[in-house]
Amino acid sequence: MSNPGTEPLLKIDDLHVSVGGQQVLRGLTLAVNAGEVHAIMGPNGSGKSTLAHVLAGRPGYQITRGSVRYQGSDLLALPPEERARAGVFLGFQYPVEIPGVNNAYLLKTALNAQRRQRDLPDIDAFDFLALVRERMKLMQIDESFLARGVNEGFSGGEKKRNEILQMLILEPRLALLDETDSGLDIDALKVVARGVNSLRSPERAIVLVTHYQRLLDHIVPDQVHVLVRGRMVRSGDRSLALELEKRGYDWVLEQAVA
Amino acid sequence: MTLRERALQELQRQPMRSAGMVAQTAQLLDQHGLPQPRDEYWRNANLRAFEQVTQFLPPAHSSAVTSLPAPLPGFQRLVFVDGRRAAQLSDAAALQLLADPAAWPAPADDQGYRDDQRFALLNALFGSDGAQLQLRQDAAVELLFIASGAAGSSYPRLAVQLADGVQARLVERHLGAPAAGGFICTQTRVELQRNARLDHYRLQDCDASALWMDTLFARLDAHAHYDVRLLGVGAATARCSAEVVLSGAQAELTWRSMAALDARQVGDTLLRVRHEAPGTRTSQLFRGIAVGQARIGFDADVRVSAAAAGTRVSQSLRGLIEGAESGINLRPRLTIHTDDIQASHGATTGQLDENLLFYLLSRGLDVATARALLKWAFLGDVLSAIEIPELRREAERAAAGHLSDQLLDGALS
């Protein structure tokens, strides 16, 4: 990655994406600076999750037009693992279960992959355990989860907390959190929000994909965007989310059509 | 000339067993014949490989065996080379456990030599030694069956009988390479008396040129528990024909096996289980990965008699295909003659789940590591069941070799 200079950490221009011949993103443009938290809201099917997955490099999407620059370089040219090692993290809406592979192994392997990218030695086993224990405490995850299969038998809330735990261990520069709040009760939501907020820093950006305003009560965004039919139709500050909460999406849809 | 005629001709050249024994076995061969590719449970087997056998007789003299795996802590070791005991490589105390080779019973026309167990007849004809263990107290025994590479075939045999209440751990490993044109034909017989428990680990990691034909017959009395973990990674062609009879009430079989094959390897298993008494239990689990042009088969045939009320059966068979030319054929079968039964079964074959792969890539793992990890996880149900760390390590190393993967220490939950 080149030196970003004054360029935003993430810069998306006129992005067009289709899946199975169906156009999902239709000219999406967005700029996210380091240090900022952006919330992307929108009705079902508007393309929010597609955007997150395209940025993380999931196969199966056809990018038909537009560009995505991250830290000054072409993000779309990188395979998913290189994006991750460059600091892009996707928190999944539906984290997969991988029975048989223990959590600790995945965390350590992922962390070391990133360290090697930065020419750092693999983390010492003792240091790793200390790091994981500290972050698990923050996320209120029992240590016994380390030896369990990745997300195997976890409740919905535990899976989401495990996603944030991974994020806290990997310390990405760009975190894309896809509906991290879905399926969480209010206590779990607070825990997840605490984890996300602990990662806020001037070097880092967070993009929250969410359907509801309630997450933004706990993670206050710098900017809120409304995505409708694959295009950003409105941007604003946190008050936009509150207005959406009060009025729903219909008025934005009407304006978008108009 | 038929295989039977060839076999008997060789025996006449170099008599190894009594004339009566040969005549009795030959009569059984005449009566039942050897399996054919069209036979129901031999369609996955590579019987053509068997036609390439040029010498049925074992080597007159074995080649020297220069390296053996490290002994397993807490186990007494017995080593057999080309089917014959190697006293100098075995623990002296363990040798005391063995019965006189001459005491090996002649094959009788019971289920251990009929139907799909007929290759055991060749073992009976040509085998001259074997591990015959009658255990009256708890024990841990490690058996190494080595094919030395000397000209000829190898006939490993094992007979285990556990007395009432005895608990034993048995590790049986098949290693090495027969000479070109030779093969390895094993026979294992297990008898568990009331309340006995046998943890039986079987690792087949023969040379990639080997033809391994394995026959296992087990009978369980009331409340006995037979726990089998079979790991097959070696040989060009490997076939296991197993039959387990749960003849006593509450007898239980736990069967976990895996095959990890590559190149043009062919490996198949027939596991027949007969529930003949009330309250009996069977749990079967198979995981197979076929890479390259490898072919894997697993037939699970469970029959529950009218006398076996209260039986429970579970079957979980899964295959993973890596490579357009590889193939896996899984067949769970359940024949039930009682209304009082709980049964579940599933058989699936597919490729690596792209969603899981992307998840790992999105965490920065490289493609090779991510794929290896998922294959590892796939085999985890079987590998994790190996409770002897040294053996588990060896099994993991062997599996990794055939999957062309790195060994992922500590990956399994």
Side-chain angles (χ1 to χ4, degrees), chain B residues 99-114:
Chain B
D100 182 343
W104 194 277
D109 191 11
D110 66 7
Q111 288 296 318
Y113 292 95
R114 277 167 48 185

Side-chain angles (χ1 to χ4, degrees), chain A residues 73-138:
Chain A
S73 297
D74 181 7
L75 182 69
L76 301 179
L78 300 177
E81 63 275 22
E82 287 184 29
R83 298 184 198 195
R85 286 182 223 146
V88 177
F89 178 90
L90 172 63
F92 285 70
Q93 181 181 5
Y94 302 110
V96 296
E97 295 192 15
I98 313 181
V101 175
N102 76 51
N103 258 322
Y105 186 87
L106 174 60
L107 284 171
K108 196 172 177 184
T109 307
L111 179 58
N112 282 332
Q114 304 224 354
R115 289 173 65 88
R116 287 172 199 165
Q117 179 83 359
R118 286 177 259 149
D119 291 327
L120 294 171
D122 285 0
I123 190 167
D124 172 81
F126 187 79
D127 293 341
F128 172 72
L129 201 56
L131 172 71
V132 170
R133 279 182 174 151
E134 181 206 324
R135 306 289 154 94
M136 288 184 94
K137 201 172 170 186
L138 180 67

Side-chain angles (χ1 to χ4, degrees), chain A residues 79-207:
Chain A
E81 63 275 22
E82 287 184 29
R83 298 184 198 195
R85 286 182 223 146
V88 177
F89 178 90
L90 172 63
F92 285 70
Q93 181 181 5
Y94 302 110
V96 296
E97 295 192 15
I98 313 181
V101 175
N102 76 51
N103 258 322
Y105 186 87
L106 174 60
L107 284 171
K108 196 172 177 184
T109 307
L111 179 58
N112 282 332
Q114 304 224 354
R115 289 173 65 88
R116 287 172 199 165
Q117 179 83 359
R118 286 177 259 149
D119 291 327
L120 294 171
D122 285 0
I123 190 167
D124 172 81
F126 187 79
D127 293 341
F128 172 72
L129 201 56
L131 172 71
V132 170
R133 279 182 174 151
E134 181 206 324
R135 306 289 154 94
M136 288 184 94
K137 201 172 170 186
L138 180 67
M139 294 313 297
Q140 297 183 7
I141 297 176
D142 190 88
E143 274 187 39
S144 64
F145 279 57
L146 276 178
R148 288 174 57 179
V150 175
N151 293 321
E152 186 181 7
F154 289 17
S155 69
E158 287 167 343
K159 285 179 181 172
K160 295 297 178 70
R161 278 188 281 153
N162 198 37
E163 291 290 286
I164 303 303
L165 171 68
Q166 292 177 14
M167 183 182 78
L168 295 182
I169 300 288
L170 298 177
E171 297 184 329
R173 287 212 68 194
L174 174 64
L176 310 162
L177 302 180
D178 186 11
E179 308 229 11
T180 296
D181 52 331
S182 65
L184 295 183
D185 62 32
I186 189 62
D187 292 328
L189 184 67
K190 285 178 181 172
V191 172
V192 163
R194 187 164 65 227
V196 174
N197 284 326
S198 74
L199 212 63
R200 291 182 83 153
S201 82
E203 300 80 32
R204 189 169 287 131
I206 298 169
V207 176

